[in-house]
Amino acid sequence: GDSVTQMEGPVTLSEEAFLTINCTYTATGYPSLFWYVQYPGEGLQLLLKATKADDKGSNKGFEATYRKETTSFHLEKGSVQVSDSAVYFCALSGSEKLVFGKGTKLTVNP
Amino acid sequence: DARVTQTPRHKVTEMGQEVTMRCQPILGHNTVFWYRQTMMQGLELLAYFRNRAPLDDSGMPKDRFSAEMPDATLATLKIQPSEPRDSAVYFCASGLGDTKGGTQYFGPGTRLLVL
């Protein structure tokens, strides 16, 4: 079945550091890919998405490119802020349902 | 700013008691999902509905969990009887039911503790 593997955390960075969270997937067909973010005590929010190969999703300085050849959707941000501290989930959808990775906790220190 | 709402936000109960969690999806959304989040298992899909009809509840323990949509503005998840292993955060999400690529909008969750 479809699955998502993302790098295990936790990840701890200093403010203004570069962020990469790796995500790879296994799926039949051509799924859509997502990054969701969960701030402490809240539900998940969509951060960005891409619906076809080579698409780049971007939002709030975060970017991820749908790479079909490497089945990857790595999340990047050039300069993280303390307010980016959260848990990040990679997900795919080949249907109405989402398949989530296990999440990566990011802590950004001042 | 349309949001999914969930009540209660927190619930502490004793083993064996019935627990009912409620969700109001975003108006106009025709698909509703129930998830459970724990440290050990991460996010698990329990059930989902389209146009109020249950499409998949294979993630739910059938003997004690039930999910319904009495109307388009209310989804419920019941646990009877509750057990300590049911302690988790339960999220409701709604969407427009796109075949793929559709965004799911999550509520703030119900944090359940069963003693």
Side-chain angles (χ1 to χ4, degrees), chain B residues 1 16 29 31 39 42 52 58 61 64 82 89 96 102 110:
Chain B
D1 188 19
H29 283 187
T31 312
M39 290 293 292
R52 296 175 56 201
S58 58
R64 298 184 300 108
S82 58
V89 182
L96 289 172
T110 294

Side-chain angles (χ1 to χ4, degrees), chain A residues 11 13 17-21 34-39 45-50 55-65 73-89 104 106-108:
Chain A
V11 174
L13 296 173
F18 184 85
L19 168 71
T20 300
I21 300 178
F34 304 79
W35 278 100
Y36 279 80
V37 59
Q38 184 178 27
Y39 298 104
Q45 305 173 23
L46 178 68
L47 180 60
L48 53 85
K49 72 177 185 181
D55 268 3
K56 178 187 285 188
S58 61
N59 186 25
K60 299 181 181 179
F62 291 89
E63 294 183 340
T65 301
F73 193 56
H74 305 321
L75 183 68
E76 295 182 337
K77 186 175 185 182
S79 176
V80 294
Q81 306 300 312
V82 172
S83 57
D84 294 327
S85 297
V87 180
Y88 292 82
F89 292 89
T104 302
L106 169 67
T107 300
V108 180

Side-chain angles (χ1 to χ4, degrees), chain A residues 30-32 34 36 38 41-46 49 51 89 93-98 100 102, chain B residues 9 31 33 35 37 43 45 48 50 55-56 91 97-104 106-108:
Chain A
Y30 304 97
S32 294
F34 304 79
Y36 279 80
Q38 184 178 27
E42 298 184 10
L44 281 70
Q45 305 173 23
L46 178 68
K49 72 177 185 181
T51 58
F89 292 89
S93 174
S95 66
E96 290 174 311
K97 295 192 287 187
L98 285 169
F100 286 95
K102 293 190 178 296
Chain B
R9 292 293 310 275
T31 312
F33 303 82
Y35 293 90
Q37 185 178 40
L43 268 169
L45 177 65
Y48 83 99
R50 189 197 305 139
L55 289 191
D56 185 352
F91 289 105
D98 297 341
T99 52
K100 70 166 189 171
T103 300
Q104 291 184 20
F106 282 73

Side-chain angles (χ1 to χ4, degrees), chain B residues 11 13-16 19 82-87 112-115:
Chain B
K11 176 73 176 180
T13 191
E14 293 188 347
M15 183 172 61
V19 175
S82 58
E83 297 181 0
R85 59 180 167 151
D86 301 328
S87 297
L112 174 65
L113 177 61
V114 183
L115 301 174

Side-chain angles (χ1 to χ4, degrees), chain A residues 16-34:
Chain A
E16 299 184 2
F18 184 85
L19 168 71
T20 300
I21 300 178
N22 290 337
C23 171
T24 57
Y25 67 91
T26 302
T28 54
Y30 304 97
S32 294
L33 300 174
F34 304 79

Side-chain angles (χ1 to χ4, degrees), chain B residues 27-46:
Chain B
L27 190 64
H29 283 187
N30 65 346
T31 312
V32 174
F33 303 82
W34 283 105
Y35 293 90
R36 177 170 63 185
Q37 185 178 40
T38 61
M39 290 293 292
M40 294 299 295
Q41 301 296 328
L43 268 169
E44 303 172 274
L45 177 65
L46 298 176

